[in-house]
Amino acid sequence: MTHPNETVVRRFLTALNSGDMDGLDELASDDFVWRAPGRTPFSGEFAGKGRAFDHFKVIEGMFGADGIEHRLEIHDVLANDEHTAVLWTRHLRRASQKLDVNGVGVFHVRDGKVAEWWVIHADQYAFDEFFAPEG
């Protein structure tokens, strides 16, 4: 039997990957917080649904402008009443660069909505390097 929080998080990630902002709005709490480590344009803490979603739009625009292909391959989802962990491999491609990095997303689900999301990469240095300015 699938835990309800697994369903919420899978729907959230599907909406994010397809650019479905209405779907994200329905699935995230108003006080949603997104946290990402590192030294990339993705890094930081973005509190409040509006601020986090604006940042998601910047990221999506960056992928298009910089010719970056991105695919998130989900391996497993582990869920209980408070948290959901998603194990994934992030596949990134740009011209001759490629990066396949394992990671985990830790989600706090409250009242059927995603309240917090922490992103963790197994090799943060490689992820940061992929997005470093060329030169």
Side-chain angles (χ1 to χ4, degrees):
M1 184 169 162
T2 302
H3 194 283
N5 288 345
E6 176 180 348
T7 302
V8 168
V9 169
R10 284 186 183 274
R11 287 181 55 215
F12 182 90
L13 289 173
T14 298
L16 180 67
N17 287 331
S18 67
D20 177 7
M21 297 309 288
D22 290 335
L24 282 177
D25 187 55
E26 173 189 326
L27 294 163
S29 66
D30 289 338
D31 61 347
F32 172 77
V33 179
W34 185 59
R35 295 178 177 93
R39 298 175 182 203
T40 72
F42 307 102
S43 303
E45 179 175 306
F46 302 88
K49 187 166 33 176
R51 187 162 180 244
F53 287 9
D54 285 347
H55 193 67
F56 291 162
K57 291 175 190 172
V58 168
I59 292 168
E60 183 179 31
M62 190 178 76
F63 281 160
D66 288 348
I68 298 170
E69 296 176 29
H70 173 263
R71 182 171 61 87
L72 197 64
E73 177 186 358
I74 296 175
H75 298 292
D76 204 356
V77 179
L78 312 166
N80 65 28
D81 291 341
E82 297 264 338
H83 293 92
T84 302
V86 180
L87 308 175
W88 63 52
T89 300
R90 187 180 301 275
H91 302 280
L92 296 163
R93 305 286 182 268
R94 174 178 48 204
S96 63
Q97 281 184 291
K98 78 175 205 173
L99 176 64
D100 301 306
V101 62
N102 291 328
V104 66
V106 178
F107 297 81
H108 180 91
V109 179
R110 184 179 63 237
D111 299 325
K113 293 189 180 263
V114 176
E116 296 180 62
W117 177 13
W118 297 268
V119 174
I120 303 157
H121 295 103
D123 189 344
Q124 186 65 49
Y125 293 118
F127 187 79
D128 288 352
E129 184 66 27
F130 184 88
F131 290 98
E134 295 186 54

